[in-house]
Amino acid sequence: MIDGSRRTIGWRSAIALAATVASILFTSVLATRSAWAQPNPLPSWNDGSVKQSIIDFVARVTTQGGPDFVSVPERIATFDNDGTLWCEQPVYFQVAFASGQIKAMVPKHPEWKSKQPFKAVLDKDIKALAATGDKGVLQIIAATHARMTTAEFSKSVSDWIGDAKHPRFNKPYTDLVYQPMLELLAYLRENGFKTFIVSGGGIEFMRPWTERIYGIPPEQVVGSSGVVKLEIGPDGKPTLAKLAKVEFVDDGPGKPVGINRFIGRRPIFAFGNSDGDLQMLQWTAAGNGARFMGIVHHTDAAREYAYDRKSPIGKLDKALDEGTAKGWTIVDMKRDWRAVFPER
Amino acid sequence: MIDGSRRTIGWRSAIALAATVASILFTSVLATRSAWAQPNPLPSWNDGSVKQSIIDFVARVTTQGGPDFVSVPERIATFDNDGTLWCEQPVYFQVAFASGQIKAMVPKHPEWKSKQPFKAVLDKDIKALAATGDKGVLQIIAATHARMTTAEFSKSVSDWIGDAKHPRFNKPYTDLVYQPMLELLAYLRENGFKTFIVSGGGIEFMRPWTERIYGIPPEQVVGSSGVVKLEIGPDGKPTLAKLAKVEFVDDGPGKPVGINRFIGRRPIFAFGNSDGDLQMLQWTAAGNGARFMGIVHHTDAAREYAYDRKSPIGKLDKALDEGTAKGWTIVDMKRDWRAVFPER
């Protein structure tokens, strides 16, 4: 006897017991790495058909031996960003960034105070800005997104996103991500999905913060881009210069093209919120096997915003009709989300 | 006493023992998921400074608390493909694919028998082909890589790579991958690296087989590309059409651009074999912290090929000088590789 307890067992039995306990623990460690059911995986989603459609889909594609099983490498999920993962009102946050940059650059460019499109940005004169058209937008992009290295641009984004606050909520923009979607991203990853952003926004505008905020690393961010060129400095040091020339617009019909170019496989799960996501959703739907197509419908003016068919930003019209007709999952923000933003 | 053995221990001790064994096993399960030393991780590499430089680098960047530790998400490794991961002689395998396609398409295009550049391909007349210049190359690409959907192209690659054999080795092209590099890819991944291909070859030519052959999924393949366009069929079904227009050339100065666009972070480890990889290696070298730059020098005419400064394919001249001067790891294939191809 080693200790003082009265009931004793043999060494051999003790080792057998140890092996059994170890084996149970071992198995449970492995189990947690593959698909498994959490008690309540999506706490910020209200119970109902929308939440259930997500859980049912994940169960279908992760049930080994089931008719809809999808192997882990094929579990590709793509998410639009603006209006799907974070707020996009009253203007796309990247536009707020550009405006902030222009304001900050005025001391070096005093002529902007009387020159369009910069004057319109400084005066917050949306009509005058709209009147400058595509040319105006390109001039703003050139001034704020180009003629610098990729490293300089990345720093300017990080600086801004650390400082700037949303005009209505008075919070950092990265606090205006949707808590239910953060939970959905995590839930999918726990079930073997690889999560990607496929956004009309600038790829270099998103990458400095997507890993920290969404757990999505830079190499899983697809977006619009400008032309970038390798330059070798006099010291032999290479830099990448951002030119004032659009390379790729990852929006509408560009989304399946961007998915093909960057990911090289068709998603089985896609989420968007506007007509700019329609082709991504159609491309996802057109594959073989089980498919999930989701749309965030902004119906909550009290907690966030309410907009759809007539909105100049995030217009949701054709995709709402097609999604309804085809039985895609349509999130009614007011009804389906218990919380909108994370509590911070 | 439960069994008949003479030495007995108390229940409490037995449970403590079980917990200890479980804890040891538990810890070892977790340990195998992070950096750890295999007894002989690179069996097809001969012992020497080249093999040692790889092992030392991996140890440096994976030693928690060490001065050169790199977090897992930042462990990005990029590999050229042609001449680095698989053979590229006597012609790039993608050129062999294009020739094979043209031969197969002759019945539908009898005029090609007397029309350049197709005649040159059919006659294996390298001089006549060279005389058609860039225009000829683009015509061949247009005929074999475009005017079809991405799905059709992927199938044509898969069909060819399953059938075709290398003229000298009389083996499938996918058997002509380098065994030491397969081991290196696996070794890096076991140590938390994410491995990418960054090749001048066509992205859509590589993706159908890189996962099976290298364990590198499509979304980790960067390469040259043609323009792709979304088309909606009369049945409403979307397809992606490959157009006869070059979009991006992922070679030379294009490689850092491709890395920036697709990966969005700078590699800490890069391997190439030709001057087309020089800028990727320079870009890798120019980052902060520990860096590994490697070059495969083809020095083995008996087992593979021997070529460098004067070779029209895989020319290695400037990169050999710069790599030597800067102390990059230069693999002498004949000296450093115990085996070249996998035994199949």
Side-chain angles (χ1 to χ4, degrees), chain A residues 12-161:
Chain A
R12 231 186 274 165
S13 300
I15 287 163
L17 173 65
T20 306
V21 173
S23 145
I24 290 164
L25 275 173
F26 209 112
T27 310
S28 73
V29 169
L30 294 178
T32 53
R33 295 187 52 204
S34 59
W36 95 117
Q38 286 181 296
N40 183 10
L42 301 167
S44 299
W45 294 72
N46 288 317
D47 290 335
S49 61
V50 160
K51 179 175 179 171
Q52 202 55 47
S53 73
I54 295 170
I55 292 171
D56 287 349
F57 177 81
V58 170
R60 279 168 69 197
V61 298
T62 58
T63 300
Q64 199 108 27
D68 294 323
F69 179 75
V70 175
S71 68
V72 167
E74 298 288 343
R75 292 183 202 159
I76 301 291
T78 57
F79 290 81
D80 170 57
N81 185 41
D82 296 310
T84 300
L85 294 182
W86 75 354
C87 178
E88 62 183 348
Q89 299 284 0
V91 292
Y92 293 125
F93 294 176
Q94 193 171 357
V95 172
F97 161 74
S99 305
Q101 296 302 100
I102 283 172
K103 238 175 272 174
M105 288 159 86
V106 162
K108 280 191 181 172
H109 297 274
E111 74 279 10
W112 285 356
K113 287 181 198 160
S114 56
K115 193 182 163 191
Q116 296 297 14
F118 307 103
K119 185 177 184 310
V121 171
L122 295 169
D123 298 347
K124 296 189 180 177
D125 183 345
I126 304 276
K127 268 192 192 173
L129 183 60
T132 68
D134 285 354
K135 202 185 145 204
V137 170
L138 282 176
Q139 281 180 285
I140 289 166
I141 289 178
T144 57
H145 287 64
R147 292 170 196 153
M148 62 184 95
T149 68
T150 50
E152 286 162 353
F153 181 71
S154 176
K155 187 179 180 308
S156 77
V157 172
S158 296
D159 288 350
W160 176 81
I161 217 152

Side-chain angles (χ1 to χ4, degrees), chain A residues 5 15 37 66 71 79 86 90 122 129 178 189 212 215 227 233 266 292 319 325 341:
Chain A
S5 79
I15 287 163
S71 68
F79 290 81
W86 75 354
L122 295 169
L129 183 60
Y178 302 133
R189 289 193 291 256
R212 182 170 55 88
V227 173
R266 195 191 297 251
F292 182 98
F341 302 123

Side-chain angles (χ1 to χ4, degrees), chain B residues 9-33:
Chain B
I9 59 173
W11 270 105
R12 229 186 275 164
S13 300
I15 287 162
L17 174 65
T20 306
V21 173
S23 146
I24 289 164
L25 275 173
F26 208 79
T27 310
S28 73
V29 169
L30 294 179
T32 53
R33 295 188 52 205

Side-chain angles (χ1 to χ4, degrees), chain A residues 1-3 5 7-15 17-18 21-22 25-26 29-30 33 73 76 150 194 196 203-204 207 211 217-220 225-230 232 237-240 247 253 256-257 260-266 279 282-283 286, chain B residues 1-3 5 7-15 17-18 21-22 25-26 29-30 33 73 76 150 194 196 203-204 207 211 217-220 225-230 232 237-240 247 253 256-257 260-266 279 282-283 286:
Chain A
M1 290 227 311
I2 287 176
D3 73 1
S5 79
R7 287 208 57 189
T8 56
I9 58 171
W11 271 105
R12 231 186 274 165
S13 300
I15 287 163
L17 173 65
V21 173
L25 275 173
F26 209 112
V29 169
L30 294 178
R33 295 187 52 204
I76 301 291
T150 50
K194 209 163 181 176
F196 289 81
I203 194 166
E204 309 228 29
R207 282 176 166 165
E211 189 157 37
E219 63 268 25
Q220 286 161 224
S225 57
V227 173
V228 160
K229 197 182 159 215
L230 183 72
I232 309 288
K237 210 176 141 76
T239 54
L240 290 172
E247 180 185 68
V257 172
N260 178 67
R261 174 66 64 245
F262 281 75
I263 309 177
R265 0 188 182 220
R266 195 191 297 251
Q279 287 87 348
Q282 289 171 331
W283 180 245
Chain B
M1 294 223 308
I2 287 177
D3 72 0
S5 79
R7 288 204 60 187
T8 56
I9 59 173
W11 270 105
R12 229 186 275 164
S13 300
I15 287 162
L17 174 65
V21 173
L25 275 173
F26 208 79
V29 169
L30 294 179
R33 295 188 52 205
I76 301 290
T150 50
K194 210 164 182 176
F196 289 82
I203 194 166
E204 309 228 26
R207 282 175 166 167
E211 189 158 38
E219 62 269 24
Q220 285 160 228
S225 56
V227 173
V228 160
K229 197 183 159 215
L230 183 72
I232 309 287
K237 207 176 143 77
T239 54
L240 290 172
E247 179 185 68
V257 173
N260 178 68
R261 175 64 65 246
F262 282 74
I263 309 178
R265 7 188 175 218
R266 196 190 298 250
Q279 287 87 349
Q282 289 170 331
W283 180 245

Side-chain angles (χ1 to χ4, degrees), chain B residues 36 42 48 66 83 134 159 186 221 254 259 267 294 313 335 343:
Chain B
W36 95 115
L42 301 167
D134 284 355
D159 288 350
V221 177
I259 287 169
I313 290 168
R335 178 195 65 192
E343 280 186 36

